[in-house]
Amino acid sequence: MNIIKSTLLGMSVAAASQMAMAATTGATVATVDPEADRIALQEYMKNRFPDTPVDEYINGIYAVDAASREQWEEIEEFPPYEFDLEKGEELFNTPFANGKGYADCFENGGIGIRQNYPMWNDERKTVITLEMAINECRMTNGEKPLGWKKGAIAQISAYMAYTSRGNEFAIDIPNDDAKAAYLDGKKFFYSKRGQLNLSCADCHLTGTNRLTRADLPSPGLGHTTHFPVVRSKWGNIGTLHRRYEGCHRDSRSEYLKPQSNTFRNLEYFQTYMSNGLIVNGPGARK
Amino acid sequence: MRKLISALAVAGVAFTGSAVAGSHSEAMIKEGQSVYHTKSRGNCIACHNIQDPITNQAGNQGPMIIAMKARYPNKAELRAQIWDPTVKNPLTIMPPMGKHNILTEEEIDAVVEYIYQY
């Protein structure tokens, strides 16, 4: 009986605090305060998981579930992304047909810069993700764009993340236009949608570390730090937007494309939430 | 809590009662069981444990399905919770099975009969 009581109580507390804490600041550009949102999300997680230090959230579900953590630590001893890293480095350093390369498109030759993406581009009034910048680099140099979800793009992104390991995320929201993109991503994260009426927050805040069938949804803090990721279920490496596509489908919503405006704004919001946490990509997950 | 426990005692009595009466058609309960445990149907099992021996990998997003008769003496109220749980709790993560056409009216009737035994 105790179980029922505490579950019910837990549910109502979680539901109330999700509103009261995690989404504290306003729903308009004038009232939204990204920095207050970031701190509120950390507080929410501290209340839910008092034994988990904030810098642990780069490890997803393994930050809070001791049982699966052990298995994961074993996996990380022989990282399943090692081949992808090698391949990514090779691709990164292979010149395009015109003799130029990825290094020519990025600050610092593309090394150690993962923490600045996604980035607000004020001329284009849009969020530029790392994968988008990789493909735009190819196209400016006369190459065909890569597919968004797996393979070469994920391998190049993995290598670029690897050269940035340990750097703190430092996403910048320079003005009101950028803030509007952030707000769009934030609303997407908290809004219920689809036939199943589920929001990202339903599973990754309210429902985090509770079983949905055999799955434990990770805490929605630090979600983006370790991407791209080799996921056992995929059997290969994939990008953040591949994951977004899958999770979005779980609510039985209308299909959204990887790198769509909505998903890029979502990544902008989620990565801003991870400011102060370090880059630890690529990662491995169940 | 006390209310719940005494309600459980009542449910105990009710259980024996209905076993004798064998009231609702076996077929309907079987259909409800399928709705409850099948991923492409209600998938209730993803969130609610239930003491049915066929249960496999139950989730715990929602409370265990137990003492339904005692807690919902009025069956229509139980049906309403499944048809649209957002009436009681707009933030609930439980999907509105009827309102969003996830299940048909017949499937909802069946799953109500099924869980009413527990």
Side-chain angles (χ1 to χ4, degrees):
Chain A
M1 275 310 38
N2 260 334
I3 298 172
I4 293 187
K5 194 178 166 193
S6 58
T7 311
L8 276 176
L9 202 67
M11 293 312 301
S12 55
V13 170
S17 51
Q18 182 174 318
M19 285 297 274
M21 295 176 52
T24 40
T25 72
T28 66
V29 173
T31 54
V32 73
D33 179 347
E35 199 46 22
D37 287 347
R38 188 180 71 87
I39 290 161
L41 183 60
Q42 290 194 359
E43 290 302 318
Y44 176 88
M45 291 302 169
K46 278 186 206 160
N47 281 332
R48 280 291 291 273
F49 308 108
D51 299 332
T52 301
V54 169
D55 58 9
E56 263 292 320
Y57 285 97
I58 58 174
N59 295 323
I61 188 62
Y62 313 116
V64 294
D65 178 48
S68 58
R69 184 176 183 112
E70 229 171 279
Q71 257 179 314
W72 171 69
E73 280 173 348
E74 275 169 30
I75 290 174
E76 282 279 354
E77 276 178 38
F78 301 96
Y81 46 75
E82 215 137 71
F83 161 81
D84 297 299
L85 273 180
E86 269 170 41
K87 191 80 193 147
E89 180 171 12
E90 186 191 315
L91 288 166
F92 185 88
N93 290 316
T94 306
F96 302 133
N98 68 2
K100 296 213 168 167
Y102 293 106
D104 298 311
C105 296
F106 291 94
E107 214 181 307
N108 200 37
I111 303 302
I113 59 160
R114 181 68 185 92
Q115 67 280 0
N116 302 323
Y117 286 86
M119 193 185 276
W120 178 251
N121 182 310
D122 210 44
E123 285 95 71
R124 292 162 66 184
K125 303 282 178 221
T126 200
V127 170
I128 311 284
T129 63
L130 183 62
E131 285 77 14
M132 188 174 171
I134 290 171
N135 261 345
E136 289 188 350
C137 177
R138 295 178 60 83
M139 292 194 290
T140 350
N141 286 292
E143 302 284 330
K144 278 198 189 130
L146 302 166
W148 291 122
K149 293 196 285 189
K150 55 187 173 186
I153 204 156
Q155 290 167 332
I156 295 166
S157 170
Y159 169 69
M160 292 177 80
Y162 192 73
T163 67
S164 318
R165 274 195 174 181
N167 296 348
E168 278 185 20
F169 274 95
I171 303 306
D172 187 29
I173 301 180
N175 56 37
D176 275 1
D177 289 334
K179 216 189 241 189
Y182 164 91
L183 182 61
D184 185 58
K186 173 182 168 178
K187 282 186 178 163
F188 191 83
F189 187 83
Y190 286 102
S191 303
K192 287 178 160 294
R193 74 173 58 77
Q195 191 186 32
L196 297 187
N197 201 41
L198 289 169
S199 68
C200 314
D202 281 339
C203 288
H204 291 288
L205 294 188
T206 312
T208 176
N209 205 27
R210 292 196 183 113
L211 282 169
T212 311
R213 202 84 203 236
D215 293 324
L216 286 173
S218 52
L221 170 63
H223 249 172
T224 59
T225 64
H226 61 289
F227 272 85
V229 84
V230 170
R231 201 178 164 215
S232 320
K233 194 175 155 190
W234 291 339
N236 54 34
I237 196 164
T239 57
L240 179 63
H241 289 224
R242 181 179 181 189
R243 182 77 240 203
Y244 280 173
E245 191 189 53
C247 272
H248 182 59
R249 193 185 314 114
D250 283 348
S251 63
R252 299 191 195 158
S253 294
E254 242 169 78
Y255 178 78
L256 276 174
K257 278 203 185 97
Q259 301 297 331
S260 58
N261 197 48
T262 305
F263 278 168
R264 282 184 287 118
N265 290 345
L266 176 65
E267 179 176 345
Y268 194 43
F269 161 73
Q270 282 214 293
T271 314
Y272 187 90
M273 291 296 101
S274 302
N275 268 359
L277 299 176
I278 60 169
V279 177
N280 63 333
R285 293 289 185 271
K286 197 166 83 160
Chain B
M1 249 329 37
R2 191 175 309 142
K3 203 163 149 201
L4 196 49
I5 287 165
S6 58
L8 264 179
V10 176
V13 174
F15 279 144
T16 23
S18 74
V20 173
S23 53
H24 279 280
S25 86
E26 286 297 317
M28 198 164 178
I29 287 171
K30 219 164 161 40
E31 165 73 355
Q33 185 187 45
S34 158
V35 169
Y36 192 96
H37 293 272
T38 307
K39 185 170 181 196
S40 58
R41 305 187 80 187
N43 200 20
C44 317
I45 195 61
C47 296
H48 296 283
N49 205 346
I50 190 162
Q51 279 170 325
D52 183 329
I54 75 155
T55 293
N56 177 29
Q57 296 190 313
N60 64 359
Q61 294 286 352
M64 181 150 193
I65 296 299
I66 193 170
M68 283 297 121
K69 233 172 248 175
R71 295 163 72 196
Y72 294 89
N74 178 358
K75 214 189 261 183
E77 236 176 80
L78 177 59
R79 193 182 192 282
Q81 162 71 22
I82 296 162
W83 199 85
D84 183 11
T86 68
V87 172
K88 268 199 186 153
N89 173 10
L91 277 178
T92 185
I93 93 166
M94 176 158 158
M97 299 293 168
K99 190 179 172 200
H100 279 198
N101 294 310
I102 298 164
L103 297 176
T104 64
E105 300 299 324
E106 292 74 27
E107 286 172 320
I108 292 174
D109 288 337
V111 84
V112 166
E113 289 311 322
Y114 167 66
I115 66 176
Y116 217 52
Q117 312 169 91
Y118 288 91

